[in-house]
């Protein structure tokens, strides 16, 4: 009973060890200029984690325990603005960095998903090392290849128009 603990004290034997706390798996990043935006991490169509951005656009998602995750699509949405980033790998029990989610990461995700789809492949079942190489290659090529530069400029123009607030309510409505 509990009187023994009060009178004698706690047992000092090694059978009463403190439990080791489980480490948490996190994904952190920043969506510049998007405060209080909805952040969704997806594996295919399944939602792995959700959260909101802080006033500076930063976010931290806590993922389900015990797993390493790969081939994920990160979405950041506020009003009519939707940004994407591909997250090739999230290691379990670590704080992983998604980087900055912006027009460039969205363009990279669109191009990569489009290329995979054209080959009859999907993001969720593509090899992780292949995704990492493809994203690195895209980042290197975006400032050099004319087609990718044009794509990025077009995406930036749409982004600028969406942020201007001038008549964009009619142009950029979220379907209901």
């Amino acid at each position: 009973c509990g009187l023994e603990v009060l009178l004698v004290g706690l047992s000092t034997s090694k059978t009463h060890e403190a439990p080791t706390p489980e480490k948490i798996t996190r994904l952190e990043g920043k969506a510049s200029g998007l405060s209080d935006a909805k952040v969704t991490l997806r594996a295919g169509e399944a939602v792995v984690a959700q959260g909101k951005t802080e006033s500076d656009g930063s976010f931290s998602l806590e993922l389900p325990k015990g797993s390493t995750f790969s081939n994920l699509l990160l979405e950041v949405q506020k009003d009519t603005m939707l940004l994407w980033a591909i997250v090739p790998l999230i290691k379990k029990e670590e704080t992983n960095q998604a980087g900055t989610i912006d027009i460039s990461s969205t363009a990279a995700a669109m191009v990569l998903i489009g290329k995979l789809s054209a080959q009859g492949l999907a993001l969720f079942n593509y090899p992780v090392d292949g995704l990492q190489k493809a994203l690195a290659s895209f980042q290197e090529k975006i400032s050099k290849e004319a087609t990718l530069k044009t794509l990025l400029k077009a995406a930036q123009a749409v982004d600028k128009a969406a942020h201007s607030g001038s008549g964009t309510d009619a142009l950029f409505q979220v379907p209901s």
Side-chain angles (χ1 to χ4, degrees):
C1 101
L3 281 176
E4 293 145 348
V5 172
L6 289 173
L7 297 173
V8 181
L10 291 174
S11 169
T12 58
S13 72
K14 292 191 179 205
T15 59
H16 292 11
E17 293 182 21
T20 305
E22 281 192 67
K23 293 182 180 177
I24 296 173
T25 304
R26 289 193 187 283
L27 179 65
E28 296 178 344
K30 187 169 187 175
S32 297
L34 290 180
S35 64
D36 199 37
K38 181 180 177 183
V39 181
T40 305
L41 185 63
R42 296 183 185 279
E45 294 295 318
V47 173
V48 176
Q50 288 185 310
K52 292 265 186 189
T53 59
E54 301 293 327
S55 61
D56 65 350
S58 64
F59 62 87
S60 179
L61 300 177
E62 186 174 323
L63 281 69
K65 293 180 176 138
S67 294
T68 294
F69 296 89
S70 63
N71 302 43
L72 303 165
L73 182 64
L74 182 64
E75 300 174 351
V76 179
Q77 183 174 9
K78 181 167 184 179
D79 301 325
T80 58
M81 175 67 69
L82 176 64
L83 299 175
W84 284 354
I86 292 175
V87 182
L89 183 65
I90 297 177
K91 295 180 181 177
K92 72 176 180 178
E93 300 181 347
E94 292 185 17
T95 297
N96 299 264
Q97 298 299 320
T100 300
I101 316 311
D102 58 11
I103 292 301
S104 180
S105 69
T106 302
M110 290 172 59
V111 168
L112 187 55
I113 291 170
K115 284 185 174 186
L116 290 172
S117 179
Q119 297 174 30
L121 302 170
L123 177 65
F124 66 86
N125 60 7
Y126 198 74
V128 172
D129 59 336
L131 280 180
Q132 291 169 326
K133 288 176 185 174
L135 287 171
S137 173
F138 182 85
Q139 293 301 329
E140 181 182 317
K141 290 178 182 178
I142 197 160
S143 62
K144 297 176 185 170
E145 287 188 18
T147 305
L148 293 178
K149 282 172 96 171
T150 302
L151 173 66
L152 185 58
K153 284 182 183 179
Q156 289 169 334
V158 170
D159 179 55
K160 184 177 178 182
H163 278 93
S164 74
S166 175
T168 57
D169 288 342
L171 295 174
F172 300 104
Q173 288 184 356
V174 175
S176 53

